[in-house]
Structures are given as structure tokens and as C-alpha cells.
Amino acid sequence: MDRALALLSVGQVVAIPTETVYGLAGDATNGEAVARIFEAKGRPRFNPLIAHVCDMEMAERIGVFDPLSRKLAEKFWPGPLTLVVPLQPGSGIHPLVTAGLDTIALRMPKGFGGALIGRLGHPLAAPSANTSGKISATSGEAVARDLGGRIPLVVDAGPTAVGLESTIVKVEDGRARLLRPGGVPAGDIEAVAGAPLLRGVTAGIEAPGMLASHYAPGAAMRLNADSVVKGEALLGFGPNRAEGWQQARAFLNLSETGDLREAATNLFAHLQALDRSGAELIAVESVPFEELGEAINDRLARAAAPRDNPHV
Ligand code: TXA
Ligand code: MG
């Protein structure tokens, strides 16, 4: 914590654990720090970052909360929900964070991140701690493997609890829109909002989580596989195996018992491990769409998408 604080207070970046995935954090009010984040990730500048806060007071100094956004914050913070709200004038947030938008994505992380922000006294801009377009890191080791040579410190707290990025929601005229499925299942948000979430993105928002190919491993991927060809790696889900699974070059199961929460925590690490097996193709058994399965299927679809997207 002290080493992280010392680096952050001079505009350096630090990889930190959050309950979702590891974040590459820098002081959101310091343009140099934010520029270093983009540089270390190789991230296109137009992609805005999430500002992480430690309490509601800090959140309301940065963003303008309508009643539903406040209710969702009260219910799910600290936790894996990001709210996109209008940016408060005079917030002190460096414009690189929002990529020039007049809205800002805010999240209050659990645990180490929240404590660190409280001691720093400034919000932290933190995208997932991975090279842009690659799989998010869910362990300190995965961060070090990917970004180790480019950043001065990785705070290692072992594997993250949720394993998927936060759910991103934006309230528009009193209705909540799902911008990215994630660690809070859509149904939980709908239960609090009292209405179904709007879906699909309105024009003009360029969210990298929305780019077709994102979270990509090196190997190609084949989803909803019910059989395996010799030499392929297999990512399983649940107790029943795809036909010919014994021929797989490598096999890992997201969850033996078909538990979606367990599957979420294993997703990125298993994809990375199967990628390292040297297989050219990773076959993936089907995962149901309910609960956290929506976010898991979202990440799998992006990982499987064609890689010729110039944004990645
Ligand atoms: O769980 C998480 O959300 C992790 C941890 C580190 O907090 N962070 C994360 O950040 O996933 P990142 O940068 O990989 O994804 C943030 C997403 C991007 O898709 C970005 O485009 C979107 O949030 N975003 C940021 N500001 C936005 C805004 N004003 N309007 C719409 N989308 C926005
Ligand atoms: Mg990311």
C-alpha cells in the first residue's frame, strides 16, 4: 500500500487488485499519469477510462447522480457495477480519462482499491491491467507476465473474487441501459430498478468492451463445441463432456458442477492457460446465458471474433 501510494502521488502507474479484475491505476486528476496508462496498455486514446472512487462523497464531486443512479450506487457499491453519469463541472478529472465525453464512468471497488483511493484522496483511473485487446488479468502473475516490463509495481493479492469486469450501466431519462454485461447479473439490477434494462448501445459511444474482437487469446476459438478434433484445446463447462474430448491437447473446466460464479472466476485464467498449451484452436463447450452466464458468453464471443479489427 505504501509503495503504491508513493508511486501514485508522483504520477506513476501501479497495477492493483480489485474484486473484478486487476486494474492499471493512475491518479485520474493527473494527465501525465493517465497518459502513462494508455501508453503501458497500448490503448487507443479515444477509449474512456473508469474513475474509481472510495465513497459517495467523492463520487458526487465527480458525477451528477439522478435518483436511479444513486439508488443503484447505494445498492451495489462497493462492488462490480460501473455507472456512467454526467460529468460534474470542476470535477478535477483530467479530460484524457473521459476521452472528451461529457459523461464519466464511476465505480467504487471493494477491498484494497477502495482503501488505496481513500488514502490517496484522489480518484484512480484504472482500465483492466492488460495490453489493449488482450484477455484481462485476474491474478498478479498474469499482470506481471503481460505488463511487467512496462510498469513499476504490481500489487499481488492473488486471484480476484469475481473474475469478470464490472457491469456498466447508464441511466437515460430514468431508464437504465446495459452498456456491458459483467460481474453484477442484469437480473439483479432489474430487480432494484424495477424495470427491464434497455439494451444495445446508442450512437456515438465507442466502448472498447463493445469492439467485436476484444479479450482475445492468440489461438482461434470455436464456441458451443459439442465435439473436439485432435490437437484442439478444450474449455469445458459442467459435468458433461464434448464428444472426443479425450483427444484434446489440453483440457480445463470452467466449473465441474456447472456453477456460473466459479466459471466467471476461472474464465480468463483458463483461456490464458489453454492459449499457452500451443493449440491453434480452443473449442469451448456451451455456457448457459442466465445470470453471470450473460457476461461469460459476451467475453467468449468477443474472444472468438475475427481479429482483423483495426481498433484492437
Ligand atoms: O471491472 C472493471 O470494470 C475493471 C476494473 C479494473 O475496475 N475495469 C475495466 O476497465 O474493465 P476498462 O477500461 O477495461 O473498461 C471500461 C469500459 C470501456 O468499455 C469504456 O469504453 C467504458 O468503460 N466507458 C468508460 N467511460 C465511458 C463513458 N463515459 N460512456 C460509456 N462507456 C464508457
Ligand atoms: Mg479491459
Coordinates of all heavy atoms in Angstrom, one line a residue, residues 61-152:
R61 N -18.7 14.4 -6.2 CA -17.9 15.6 -6.6 C -17.5 15.4 -8.1 O -17.1 16.4 -8.7 CB -16.5 15.6 -5.8 CG -16.7 16.3 -4.4 CD -15.4 16.9 -3.9 NE -14.4 15.8 -3.7 CZ -14.2 15.1 -2.6 NH1 -15.0 15.3 -1.6 NH2 -13.3 14.1 -2.6
I62 N -17.6 14.2 -8.6 CA -17.1 13.9 -10.0 C -18.3 13.8 -10.9 O -18.3 14.3 -12.1 CB -16.3 12.6 -10.0 CG1 -15.1 12.7 -9.1 CG2 -15.9 12.3 -11.4 CD1 -14.4 11.4 -8.9
G63 N -19.4 13.1 -10.5 CA -20.5 12.9 -11.4 C -21.8 13.4 -10.8 O -21.9 13.7 -9.6
V64 N -22.8 13.6 -11.7 CA -24.1 14.1 -11.3 C -25.0 12.9 -11.3 O -25.2 12.2 -12.3 CB -24.6 15.1 -12.4 CG1 -26.0 15.6 -12.0 CG2 -23.7 16.2 -12.6
F65 N -25.6 12.6 -10.1 CA -26.4 11.4 -9.9 C -27.8 11.7 -9.9 O -28.4 12.5 -9.1 CB -26.0 10.7 -8.5 CG -24.7 10.0 -8.6 CD1 -23.5 10.6 -8.6 CD2 -24.7 8.6 -8.6 CE1 -22.3 9.9 -8.7 CE2 -23.6 7.9 -8.7 CZ -22.3 8.5 -8.8
D66 N -28.6 11.1 -10.9 CA -30.0 11.1 -10.9 C -30.5 10.1 -9.8 O -29.7 9.3 -9.3 CB -30.5 10.7 -12.3 CG -30.0 9.3 -12.6 OD1 -28.8 9.2 -13.0 OD2 -30.8 8.3 -12.4
P67 N -31.8 10.1 -9.5 CA -32.2 9.2 -8.4 C -32.0 7.7 -8.6 O -31.6 7.0 -7.7 CB -33.8 9.5 -8.3 CG -33.9 10.9 -8.9 CD -32.8 11.1 -9.9
L68 N -32.2 7.2 -9.9 CA -31.9 5.8 -10.1 C -30.5 5.5 -10.0 O -30.1 4.4 -9.4 CB -32.5 5.4 -11.5 CG -32.3 3.9 -11.8 CD1 -32.9 3.0 -10.7 CD2 -33.0 3.6 -13.2
S69 N -29.6 6.3 -10.5 CA -28.1 6.0 -10.4 C -27.7 6.0 -9.0 O -26.9 5.1 -8.6 CB -27.3 7.1 -11.2 OG -27.6 7.1 -12.6
R70 N -28.3 6.9 -8.2 CA -27.9 6.9 -6.7 C -28.4 5.7 -6.1 O -27.7 5.1 -5.2 CB -28.5 8.2 -6.1 CG -28.1 8.3 -4.6 CD -28.5 9.6 -4.0 NE -27.8 10.8 -4.5 CZ -28.3 11.7 -5.3 NH1 -29.6 11.7 -5.5 NH2 -27.6 12.7 -5.7
K71 N -29.6 5.2 -6.4 CA -30.2 4.0 -5.8 C -29.3 2.8 -6.2 O -29.0 1.9 -5.3 CB -31.6 3.8 -6.4 CG -32.4 2.7 -5.7 CD -33.9 2.8 -6.2 CE -34.7 1.6 -5.8 NZ -36.0 1.6 -6.4
L72 N -28.9 2.7 -7.4 CA -28.0 1.6 -7.9 C -26.7 1.6 -7.1 O -26.2 0.6 -6.7 CB -27.9 1.6 -9.4 CG -29.1 1.3 -10.2 CD1 -28.9 1.5 -11.7 CD2 -29.6 -0.1 -9.9
A73 N -26.1 2.9 -7.0 CA -24.9 3.0 -6.3 C -25.0 2.5 -4.8 O -24.2 1.8 -4.3 CB -24.4 4.5 -6.3
E74 N -26.1 3.0 -4.2 CA -26.3 2.6 -2.8 C -26.5 1.1 -2.6 O -26.0 0.5 -1.7 CB -27.6 3.3 -2.2 CG -27.3 4.7 -1.7 CD -28.5 5.6 -1.6 OE1 -29.7 5.0 -1.7 OE2 -28.4 6.8 -1.4
K75 N -27.1 0.5 -3.6 CA -27.4 -1.0 -3.5 C -26.1 -1.8 -3.9 O -25.9 -2.8 -3.2 CB -28.5 -1.3 -4.5 CG -28.9 -2.7 -4.5 CD -29.7 -3.1 -3.3 CE -29.9 -4.6 -3.2 NZ -30.5 -5.0 -1.9
F76 N -25.4 -1.4 -4.9 CA -24.3 -2.3 -5.4 C -22.9 -1.8 -5.1 O -21.9 -2.6 -5.4 CB -24.4 -2.5 -6.9 CG -25.7 -3.2 -7.3 CD1 -26.8 -2.5 -7.8 CD2 -25.8 -4.6 -7.1 CE1 -28.0 -3.2 -8.2 CE2 -27.0 -5.3 -7.4 CZ -28.1 -4.6 -7.9
W77 N -22.7 -0.6 -4.5 CA -21.3 -0.2 -4.2 C -21.0 -0.4 -2.7 O -21.9 -0.2 -1.9 CB -21.2 1.3 -4.5 CG -21.0 1.6 -6.0 CD1 -21.0 0.7 -7.0 CD2 -20.9 2.9 -6.6 NE1 -20.8 1.4 -8.2 CE2 -20.8 2.7 -8.0 CE3 -20.8 4.2 -6.1 CZ2 -20.6 3.8 -8.9 CZ3 -20.7 5.2 -6.9 CH2 -20.6 5.0 -8.3
P78 N -19.8 -0.7 -2.3 CA -18.7 -1.1 -3.3 C -19.0 -2.4 -3.9 O -19.5 -3.3 -3.3 CB -17.5 -1.2 -2.4 CG -18.0 -1.5 -1.0 CD -19.4 -0.9 -0.9
G79 N -18.6 -2.6 -5.2 CA -18.9 -3.8 -5.9 C -18.8 -3.7 -7.4 O -18.4 -2.6 -7.9
P80 N -19.1 -4.7 -8.1 CA -18.7 -4.8 -9.6 C -19.7 -4.1 -10.5 O -20.2 -4.7 -11.5 CB -18.6 -6.3 -9.9 CG -19.4 -7.0 -8.8 CD -19.5 -6.1 -7.6
L81 N -20.2 -2.9 -10.2 CA -21.1 -2.1 -11.0 C -20.4 -0.8 -11.3 O -19.9 -0.1 -10.5 CB -22.4 -1.9 -10.3 CG -23.4 -1.0 -11.1 CD1 -23.9 -1.7 -12.3 CD2 -24.5 -0.5 -10.2
T82 N -20.4 -0.4 -12.6 CA -19.9 0.9 -13.1 C -21.1 1.7 -13.6 O -21.9 1.2 -14.4 CB -18.9 0.7 -14.2 OG1 -17.7 0.1 -13.6 CG2 -18.5 2.1 -14.8
L83 N -21.2 2.9 -13.1 CA -22.3 3.8 -13.5 C -21.8 4.9 -14.4 O -20.8 5.6 -14.0 CB -23.0 4.4 -12.3 CG -23.8 3.4 -11.4 CD1 -24.1 4.0 -10.1 CD2 -25.1 2.9 -12.2
V84 N -22.4 5.1 -15.6 CA -22.0 6.2 -16.4 C -23.0 7.4 -16.2 O -24.2 7.2 -16.3 CB -22.0 5.8 -17.9 CG1 -21.8 7.1 -18.8 CG2 -21.0 4.8 -18.2
V85 N -22.4 8.5 -15.7 CA -23.2 9.7 -15.3 C -22.6 10.9 -15.9 O -21.5 10.9 -16.3 CB -23.3 9.8 -13.8 CG1 -24.0 8.6 -13.1 CG2 -21.9 10.0 -13.2
P86 N -23.4 12.0 -16.0 CA -22.9 13.3 -16.5 C -21.7 13.7 -15.6 O -21.7 13.6 -14.4 CB -24.0 14.3 -16.4 CG -25.3 13.4 -16.4 CD -24.9 12.1 -15.7
L87 N -20.7 14.3 -16.3 CA -19.5 14.8 -15.6 C -19.8 16.1 -14.9 O -20.5 17.0 -15.4 CB -18.4 15.0 -16.6 CG -17.0 15.4 -16.1 CD1 -16.4 14.3 -15.2 CD2 -16.1 15.6 -17.3
Q88 N -19.4 16.2 -13.6 CA -19.7 17.4 -12.8 C -18.7 18.5 -13.2 O -17.5 18.2 -13.3 CB -19.4 17.0 -11.3 CG -19.8 18.0 -10.3 CD -21.3 18.0 -10.0 OE1 -22.0 18.9 -10.4 NE2 -21.8 16.9 -9.3
P89 N -19.2 19.7 -13.6 CA -18.2 20.7 -13.9 C -17.2 20.9 -12.7 O -17.7 20.9 -11.6 CB -19.1 22.0 -14.2 CG -20.5 21.4 -14.3 CD -20.5 20.1 -13.6
G90 N -16.0 21.2 -13.0 CA -15.0 21.4 -12.0 C -14.6 20.2 -11.2 O -14.2 20.2 -10.1
S91 N -14.8 19.0 -11.8 CA -14.6 17.7 -11.1 C -13.1 17.5 -10.8 O -12.7 16.7 -10.0 CB -15.1 16.6 -11.9 OG -14.3 16.5 -13.1
G92 N -12.2 18.2 -11.6 CA -10.8 17.9 -11.5 C -10.3 16.7 -12.3 O -9.1 16.4 -12.3
I93 N -11.2 15.9 -12.8 CA -10.9 14.8 -13.6 C -10.1 15.2 -14.9 O -10.6 16.1 -15.6 CB -12.1 14.0 -14.0 CG1 -12.8 13.4 -12.8 CG2 -11.8 12.9 -15.0 CD1 -12.0 12.3 -12.1
H94 N -9.0 14.6 -15.2 CA -8.3 15.0 -16.4 C -9.1 14.6 -17.7 O -9.6 13.5 -17.7 CB -6.9 14.4 -16.4 CG -6.0 15.1 -17.5 ND1 -6.1 14.7 -18.8 CD2 -5.2 16.1 -17.4 CE1 -5.2 15.4 -19.5 NE2 -4.7 16.3 -18.7
P95 N -9.2 15.5 -18.7 CA -10.0 15.1 -19.8 C -9.6 13.9 -20.6 O -10.4 13.3 -21.3 CB -9.9 16.4 -20.7 CG -9.0 17.3 -20.1 CD -8.7 16.9 -18.7
L96 N -8.3 13.5 -20.4 CA -7.9 12.2 -21.1 C -8.7 11.0 -20.5 O -8.9 10.0 -21.2 CB -6.4 11.9 -20.8 CG -5.4 12.3 -21.8 CD1 -4.0 11.8 -21.3 CD2 -5.7 11.6 -23.1
V97 N -9.2 11.1 -19.3 CA -9.9 10.0 -18.7 C -11.2 9.8 -19.4 O -11.6 8.6 -19.7 CB -10.2 10.3 -17.2 CG1 -11.1 9.2 -16.6 CG2 -8.9 10.4 -16.4
T98 N -11.9 10.8 -19.7 CA -13.2 10.7 -20.4 C -13.1 10.7 -21.9 O -14.1 10.6 -22.6 CB -14.2 11.9 -19.9 OG1 -13.5 13.1 -20.2 CG2 -14.5 11.8 -18.5
A99 N -11.9 10.9 -22.4 CA -11.7 11.0 -23.9 C -12.6 12.1 -24.5 O -13.2 11.9 -25.5 CB -11.9 9.6 -24.5
G100 N -12.8 13.1 -23.7 CA -13.6 14.3 -24.2 C -15.1 14.1 -24.1 O -15.8 15.0 -24.5
L101 N -15.6 13.0 -23.6 CA -17.0 12.9 -23.4 C -17.5 13.8 -22.2 O -16.7 14.1 -21.4 CB -17.4 11.4 -23.1 CG -17.1 10.4 -24.1 CD1 -17.3 9.0 -23.6 CD2 -18.0 10.6 -25.3
D102 N -18.8 14.1 -22.2 CA -19.3 14.9 -21.1 C -19.9 14.0 -20.0 O -20.7 14.4 -19.2 CB -20.2 16.0 -21.5 CG -21.4 15.5 -22.4 OD1 -21.5 14.2 -22.5 OD2 -22.1 16.2 -22.9
T103 N -19.7 12.7 -20.1 CA -20.1 11.7 -19.1 C -18.9 11.0 -18.6 O -17.8 11.1 -19.1 CB -21.0 10.6 -19.7 OG1 -20.3 10.0 -20.8 CG2 -22.3 11.2 -20.2
I104 N -19.0 10.4 -17.4 CA -17.9 9.7 -16.8 C -18.4 8.3 -16.2 O -19.5 8.3 -15.7 CB -17.2 10.5 -15.7 CG1 -16.0 9.7 -15.2 CG2 -18.1 10.9 -14.6 CD1 -14.8 10.6 -14.8
A105 N -17.6 7.3 -16.4 CA -17.8 6.0 -15.8 C -17.2 6.0 -14.4 O -16.0 6.2 -14.2 CB -17.2 4.9 -16.7
L106 N -18.1 5.7 -13.4 CA -17.6 5.7 -12.0 C -17.9 4.3 -11.4 O -18.9 3.7 -11.6 CB -18.4 6.7 -11.2 CG -18.1 8.2 -11.5 CD1 -19.1 9.1 -10.7 CD2 -16.6 8.5 -11.1
R107 N -16.9 3.9 -10.5 CA -17.1 2.6 -9.8 C -16.4 2.7 -8.5 O -15.3 3.3 -8.3 CB -16.4 1.5 -10.7 CG -16.4 0.2 -10.0 CD -16.2 -0.9 -11.0 NE -14.9 -1.6 -10.9 CZ -14.7 -2.5 -9.9 NH1 -15.6 -2.8 -9.0 NH2 -13.5 -3.1 -9.9
M108 N -17.0 2.1 -7.5 CA -16.4 2.0 -6.1 C -16.0 0.6 -5.9 O -16.8 -0.3 -5.7 CB -17.4 2.5 -5.1 CG -16.8 2.7 -3.7 SD -18.1 2.9 -2.5 CE -18.9 4.5 -3.0
P109 N -14.7 0.3 -6.0 CA -14.2 -1.1 -5.8 C -14.2 -1.5 -4.4 O -14.0 -0.7 -3.5 CB -12.8 -1.1 -6.4 CG -12.3 0.3 -6.2 CD -13.5 1.2 -6.2
K110 N -14.3 -2.8 -4.1 CA -14.1 -3.4 -2.8 C -12.7 -3.6 -2.4 O -11.9 -3.8 -3.3 CB -14.8 -4.8 -2.8 CG -16.2 -4.8 -2.4 CD -16.7 -6.3 -2.3 CE -18.2 -6.3 -2.3 NZ -18.8 -7.5 -2.8
G111 N -12.4 -3.6 -1.2 CA -11.1 -4.1 -0.7 C -9.9 -3.1 -0.9 O -10.1 -1.9 -0.7
F112 N -8.8 -3.6 -1.3 CA -7.6 -2.9 -1.4 C -7.7 -1.6 -2.2 O -7.3 -0.5 -1.8 CB -6.5 -3.8 -2.1 CG -5.1 -3.1 -2.2 CD1 -4.2 -3.1 -1.2 CD2 -4.8 -2.4 -3.4 CE1 -3.0 -2.4 -1.3 CE2 -3.6 -1.7 -3.5 CZ -2.7 -1.7 -2.5
G113 N -8.4 -1.7 -3.4 CA -8.5 -0.5 -4.2 C -9.2 0.7 -3.5 O -8.7 1.8 -3.5
G114 N -10.3 0.3 -2.8 CA -11.0 1.4 -2.1 C -10.2 2.0 -1.0 O -10.2 3.2 -0.8
A115 N -9.5 1.2 -0.3 CA -8.6 1.7 0.8 C -7.5 2.6 0.3 O -7.2 3.6 0.8 CB -8.0 0.5 1.6
L116 N -6.9 2.2 -0.9 CA -5.9 2.9 -1.5 C -6.4 4.3 -1.9 O -5.7 5.3 -1.7 CB -5.4 2.1 -2.7 CG -4.2 2.7 -3.5 CD1 -2.9 2.8 -2.7 CD2 -4.0 1.9 -4.8
I117 N -7.5 4.3 -2.6 CA -8.1 5.6 -3.0 C -8.4 6.5 -1.8 O -8.1 7.7 -1.9 CB -9.4 5.4 -3.8 CG1 -9.1 4.6 -5.1 CG2 -10.1 6.7 -4.2 CD1 -10.3 3.9 -5.7
G118 N -8.9 6.0 -0.8 CA -9.2 6.7 0.5 C -7.9 7.4 1.0 O -7.9 8.6 1.3
R119 N -6.8 6.7 1.0 CA -5.5 7.3 1.5 C -4.9 8.3 0.5 O -4.3 9.2 0.9 CB -4.5 6.1 1.8 CG -4.9 5.4 3.1 CD -3.8 4.5 3.6 NE -2.5 5.1 3.8 CZ -1.4 4.4 4.0 NH1 -1.5 3.1 4.0 NH2 -0.3 5.0 4.2
L120 N -5.1 8.0 -0.8 CA -4.5 8.9 -1.8 C -5.4 10.2 -1.8 O -4.8 11.3 -2.0 CB -4.6 8.3 -3.2 CG -4.0 9.1 -4.3 CD1 -2.4 9.2 -4.2 CD2 -4.3 8.4 -5.7
G121 N -6.7 10.1 -1.6 CA -7.5 11.3 -1.6 C -7.9 11.7 -3.0 O -8.6 12.7 -3.1
H122 N -7.6 10.9 -4.0 CA -7.9 11.3 -5.3 C -8.5 10.0 -6.0 O -8.1 8.9 -5.6 CB -6.7 11.6 -6.2 CG -6.1 13.0 -5.9 ND1 -5.0 13.5 -6.5 CD2 -6.5 14.0 -5.0 CE1 -4.8 14.7 -6.0 NE2 -5.7 15.0 -5.1
P123 N -9.4 10.2 -7.0 CA -9.9 9.0 -7.7 C -8.8 8.4 -8.6 O -7.9 9.1 -9.0 CB -11.0 9.6 -8.6 CG -10.6 11.1 -8.8 CD -10.0 11.5 -7.5
L124 N -9.0 7.1 -8.8 CA -8.0 6.4 -9.6 C -8.6 6.0 -11.0 O -9.7 5.4 -11.0 CB -7.5 5.2 -9.0 CG -6.5 5.3 -7.8 CD1 -6.2 4.0 -7.2 CD2 -5.2 6.0 -8.3
A125 N -8.0 6.5 -12.1 CA -8.4 5.9 -13.4 C -7.8 4.6 -13.5 O -6.6 4.4 -13.2 CB -7.9 6.8 -14.5
A126 N -8.6 3.6 -13.9 CA -8.0 2.2 -14.0 C -8.7 1.3 -14.9 O -9.8 0.9 -14.6 CB -8.0 1.5 -12.6
P127 N -8.1 1.1 -16.1 CA -8.7 0.1 -17.0 C -8.1 -1.2 -16.5 O -7.3 -1.3 -15.6 CB -8.1 0.5 -18.4 CG -6.8 1.1 -18.0 CD -7.0 1.8 -16.7
S128 N -8.6 -2.3 -17.1 CA -8.1 -3.6 -16.8 C -6.6 -3.7 -17.1 O -6.2 -3.0 -18.1 CB -8.8 -4.7 -17.6 OG -8.9 -4.4 -18.9
A129 N -5.8 -4.3 -16.3 CA -4.3 -4.3 -16.4 C -3.9 -5.4 -17.4 O -3.3 -6.4 -17.1 CB -3.7 -4.6 -15.0
N130 N -4.1 -5.1 -18.7 CA -3.7 -6.0 -19.8 C -3.4 -5.1 -21.0 O -3.9 -4.0 -21.2 CB -4.8 -7.0 -20.1 CG -6.1 -6.3 -20.4 OD1 -6.9 -6.0 -19.5 ND2 -6.4 -6.0 -21.7
T131 N -2.6 -5.6 -21.9 CA -2.3 -5.0 -23.2 C -3.7 -4.9 -23.9 O -4.5 -5.8 -23.8 CB -1.4 -5.9 -24.1 OG1 -0.2 -6.1 -23.3 CG2 -1.1 -5.2 -25.4
S132 N -3.9 -3.7 -24.5 CA -5.2 -3.4 -25.1 C -5.6 -4.6 -26.1 O -4.8 -5.0 -26.9 CB -5.1 -2.1 -25.9 OG -6.4 -1.7 -26.3
G133 N -6.9 -5.0 -25.9 CA -7.3 -6.1 -26.8 C -7.1 -7.5 -26.3 O -7.6 -8.5 -26.8
K134 N -6.2 -7.7 -25.3 CA -5.9 -9.0 -24.8 C -6.8 -9.3 -23.6 O -7.6 -8.5 -23.1 CB -4.4 -9.1 -24.3 CG -3.5 -8.9 -25.5 CD -3.5 -10.2 -26.3 CE -2.6 -10.0 -27.6 NZ -3.0 -11.0 -28.6
I135 N -6.7 -10.6 -23.1 CA -7.5 -11.0 -22.0 C -7.2 -10.3 -20.7 O -6.0 -10.1 -20.4 CB -7.3 -12.5 -21.8 CG1 -7.8 -13.3 -23.1 CG2 -8.0 -13.0 -20.6 CD1 -7.3 -14.8 -23.1
S136 N -8.2 -9.9 -20.0 CA -8.0 -9.2 -18.7 C -7.3 -10.1 -17.7 O -7.5 -11.3 -17.7 CB -9.3 -8.8 -18.1 OG -10.0 -7.9 -18.9
A137 N -6.4 -9.5 -16.9 CA -5.7 -10.3 -15.9 C -6.5 -10.5 -14.6 O -7.0 -9.5 -14.0 CB -4.4 -9.6 -15.6
T138 N -6.5 -11.7 -14.1 CA -7.3 -11.9 -12.8 C -6.3 -12.4 -11.7 O -6.7 -12.9 -10.7 CB -8.4 -13.0 -13.1 OG1 -7.8 -14.2 -13.6 CG2 -9.4 -12.5 -14.0
S139 N -5.0 -12.3 -12.0 CA -4.0 -12.6 -10.9 C -2.8 -11.7 -11.1 O -2.6 -11.2 -12.3 CB -3.5 -14.0 -11.0 OG -2.8 -14.2 -12.2
G140 N -2.1 -11.4 -10.1 CA -0.9 -10.6 -10.1 C 0.1 -11.2 -11.1 O 0.8 -10.5 -11.9
E141 N 0.2 -12.5 -11.1 CA 1.1 -13.2 -12.0 C 0.8 -12.9 -13.5 O 1.7 -12.7 -14.3 CB 1.0 -14.7 -11.8 CG 2.0 -15.6 -12.3 CD 1.7 -17.0 -12.1 OE1 0.5 -17.4 -12.2 OE2 2.6 -17.8 -11.8
A142 N -0.5 -12.9 -13.8 CA -0.9 -12.6 -15.2 C -0.6 -11.2 -15.6 O -0.2 -10.9 -16.7 CB -2.4 -12.9 -15.4
V143 N -0.7 -10.3 -14.7 CA -0.4 -8.9 -14.9 C 1.1 -8.8 -15.2 O 1.6 -8.2 -16.2 CB -0.7 -7.9 -13.8 CG1 -0.3 -6.5 -14.1 CG2 -2.1 -8.0 -13.4
A144 N 1.9 -9.4 -14.4 CA 3.4 -9.3 -14.5 C 3.8 -9.9 -15.8 O 4.7 -9.4 -16.5 CB 4.0 -10.1 -13.3
R145 N 3.2 -11.0 -16.2 CA 3.6 -11.7 -17.5 C 3.3 -10.7 -18.7 O 4.1 -10.7 -19.6 CB 2.7 -12.9 -17.6 CG 3.4 -14.1 -18.4 CD 2.5 -15.2 -18.6 NE 2.1 -15.9 -17.4 CZ 0.8 -16.2 -17.0 NH1 -0.2 -15.8 -17.7 NH2 0.6 -16.8 -15.9
D146 N 2.2 -10.0 -18.6 CA 1.8 -9.2 -19.7 C 2.5 -7.8 -19.7 O 3.1 -7.3 -20.7 CB 0.3 -9.0 -19.7 CG -0.3 -8.2 -20.9 OD1 0.5 -7.9 -21.8 OD2 -1.5 -7.9 -20.8
L147 N 2.4 -7.1 -18.5 CA 2.8 -5.7 -18.5 C 4.1 -5.5 -17.6 O 4.5 -4.4 -17.5 CB 1.7 -4.9 -17.9 CG 0.4 -4.8 -18.6 CD1 -0.6 -3.9 -17.8 CD2 0.6 -4.1 -20.0
G148 N 4.6 -6.5 -17.0 CA 5.7 -6.5 -16.0 C 6.8 -5.5 -16.4 O 7.3 -4.8 -15.6
G149 N 7.3 -5.6 -17.7 CA 8.4 -4.8 -18.1 C 8.1 -3.4 -18.3 O 9.0 -2.5 -18.4
R150 N 6.8 -3.0 -18.3 CA 6.4 -1.7 -18.6 C 5.9 -0.8 -17.5 O 5.6 0.3 -17.6 CB 5.3 -1.7 -19.7 CG 5.9 -2.0 -21.1 CD 4.8 -2.0 -22.1 NE 4.3 -3.4 -22.3 CZ 3.1 -3.7 -22.9 NH1 2.3 -2.8 -23.3 NH2 2.8 -5.0 -23.0
I151 N 5.7 -1.4 -16.3 CA 5.1 -0.7 -15.1 C 6.0 -1.0 -13.9 O 6.6 -2.0 -13.8 CB 3.7 -1.1 -14.9 CG1 3.5 -2.6 -14.6 CG2 2.8 -0.7 -16.1 CD1 2.1 -3.0 -14.2
P152 N 6.0 0.0 -13.0 CA 7.0 -0.1 -11.8 C 6.5 -1.0 -10.7 O 7.3 -1.4 -9.9 CB 7.1 1.3 -11.3 CG 5.8 2.0 -11.8 CD 5.4 1.3 -13.0

